[in-house]
Amino acid sequence: MANILVVDDAAFMRMMIKDILTKNGHVVVGEAQDGAQAVERYQELHPDLVTMDITMPEVDGIEAIKRIRQLDPNARIIVCSAMGQQAMVIEAIQAGAKDFIVKPFQADRVVEAVQKALR
């Protein structure tokens, strides 16, 4: 079980991820709808793991990953990205993301990525 921060600008995506995580014994301690909010919530909540969308208004996921990793070099972040964003996924991994999940995602892939990142 882990305390997880879910970051996505789409409320329905946050709800889907939250549902998958809670059904698998994890606790969603907070949500954010853009990168700036994600950094604030990370500082507030100190979650074990963050699921991060890449394409968001204001501050995108890649910039948010960089800022969170500056605050906490051991931060565990999984990127949730739509198909066709391979270049952005590579950039996110280089910025410090542990893994990525392609949208639309299957529940077992989300659980697998979370378990892998928490190891």
Side-chain angles (χ1 to χ4, degrees), residues 14-78:
R14 292 196 308 271
M15 195 174 68
M16 275 179 57
I17 295 168
K18 189 176 179 176
D19 188 50
I20 292 167
L21 295 171
T22 53
K23 281 182 178 164
N24 285 277
H26 300 289
V27 178
V28 174
V29 292
E31 298 179 29
Q33 57 191 17
D34 64 49
Q37 205 177 56
V39 176
E40 285 172 26
R41 303 290 284 157
Y42 189 89
Q43 287 178 285
E44 236 173 76
L45 302 166
H46 305 286
D48 301 317
L49 181 82
V50 180
T51 66
M52 182 78 70
D53 185 20
I54 292 180
T55 310
M56 296 182 289
E58 311 282 323
V59 177
D60 69 17
I62 291 167
E63 182 58 31
I65 291 167
K66 290 175 183 172
R67 292 182 191 180
I68 289 170
R69 297 273 301 179
Q70 279 179 336
L71 296 167
D72 179 2
N74 299 314
R76 296 180 181 121
I77 304 166
I78 296 171

